[in-house]
Amino acid sequence: MIRSYRRAADEADLKAMTQGKGSLVRNVLMVSLPIGFVLFLGMYWLTRSHVAALVVAGAVALGSIWSNVRFFKTVGARGRSGSEQSTVDVMEVEATRVLDIEHLGSHGPAYCFFTADGTALLLVGQWLMEVPRFPSLSFRLFRWADDGKPIRIEPTGGPIEPEQSTVALQGRYTNGDIEVFRAQPQTLQQDLENAFGRARAPE
């Protein structure tokens, strides 16, 4: 069974979003500016030009600062109650089986959960390795409603060892990190093809 509903983001969602990301001021002072300074010294040593060193170091430092500002601006928008960006999709999952399928390069792991009614949930990505006691047959999955990006997983059952499978994701598949589709373990490769496959462009 997979039951879905929506609610406003709460403190746990925002905490998960910023976990390990520090703060804006800390990142600028401890990361962006030191990197810029080191690059300035390196470029000056190579070129003996203050201008060239300043341009390169300044561009990198400003890019890093802008990336941090944009991220924490998004966090602020997520935390404003009533905004479109603050809505969370919650999926309560009760599965009967889970397969560990072959993923693409560094885009793993990839788990496929099956429910008694023939629905499957595909989860893909390194974000899964950050979840303790997972995979589990019973859990809550939280993702942002506006872009579908995962926030966190709350296991509500004990951890299990997933079944190893030779079923593989393909480069032409259009699946995202979280997908719900109709599938059975015995026909999973074809079910993935039907749900996410696309014809190759003519050469």
Side-chain angles (χ1 to χ4, degrees):
M1 177 196 75
I2 300 177
R3 187 172 74 91
S4 300
Y5 60 92
R6 290 188 170 186
R7 62 158 175 76
D10 61 18
E11 184 177 343
D13 300 322
L14 299 177
K15 182 178 180 181
M17 186 180 180
T18 57
Q19 190 75 32
K21 300 292 195 308
S23 67
L24 176 58
V25 173
R26 178 188 178 279
N27 292 348
V28 169
L29 294 179
M30 302 298 292
V31 180
S32 302
L33 295 182
I35 287 176
F37 180 69
V38 170
L39 278 175
F40 176 84
L41 293 179
M43 285 299 299
Y44 180 74
W45 182 79
L46 288 172
T47 65
R48 299 301 176 183
S49 168
H50 287 95
V51 174
L54 187 61
V55 168
V56 172
V60 172
L62 287 175
S64 176
I65 291 171
W66 172 244
S67 177
N68 275 280
V69 169
R70 186 172 55 181
F71 172 76
F72 285 100
K73 184 178 179 181
T74 299
V75 173
R78 298 288 194 197
R80 284 199 295 271
S81 180
S83 71
E84 182 180 353
Q85 289 181 297
S86 69
T87 304
V88 174
D89 274 332
V90 182
M91 302 172 66
E92 296 183 343
V93 180
E94 294 286 344
T96 56
R97 292 180 67 180
V98 55
L99 299 186
D100 185 348
I101 65 177
E102 296 182 20
H103 51 82
L104 295 171
S106 61
H107 298 289
Y111 300 127
C112 195
F113 297 83
F114 300 89
T115 66
D117 64 359
T119 303
L121 172 65
L122 176 66
L123 301 180
V124 183
Q126 295 186 356
W127 61 281
L128 295 167
M129 295 188 290
E130 302 172 5
V131 184
R133 300 188 301 113
F134 196 75
S136 172
L137 291 179
S138 176
F139 57 93
R140 293 187 188 93
L141 170 64
F142 302 81
R143 64 178 176 178
W144 297 111
D146 61 342
D147 58 16
K149 289 184 179 179
I151 305 172
R152 60 193 174 95
I153 291 177
E154 283 183 1
T156 54
I160 66 165
E161 189 68 27
E163 302 174 45
Q164 298 298 313
S165 172
T166 58
V167 171
L169 296 176
Q170 306 294 325
R172 68 180 183 278
Y173 287 179
T174 59
N175 63 279
D177 293 340
I178 303 170
E179 299 286 358
V180 177
F181 63 111
R182 302 293 295 179
Q184 296 288 342
Q186 300 83 357
T187 58
L188 180 56
Q189 190 71 69
Q190 187 58 53
D191 295 331
L192 287 167
E193 186 71 36
N194 294 340
F196 310 112
R198 59 185 178 188
R200 292 185 181 275
E203 299 181 0

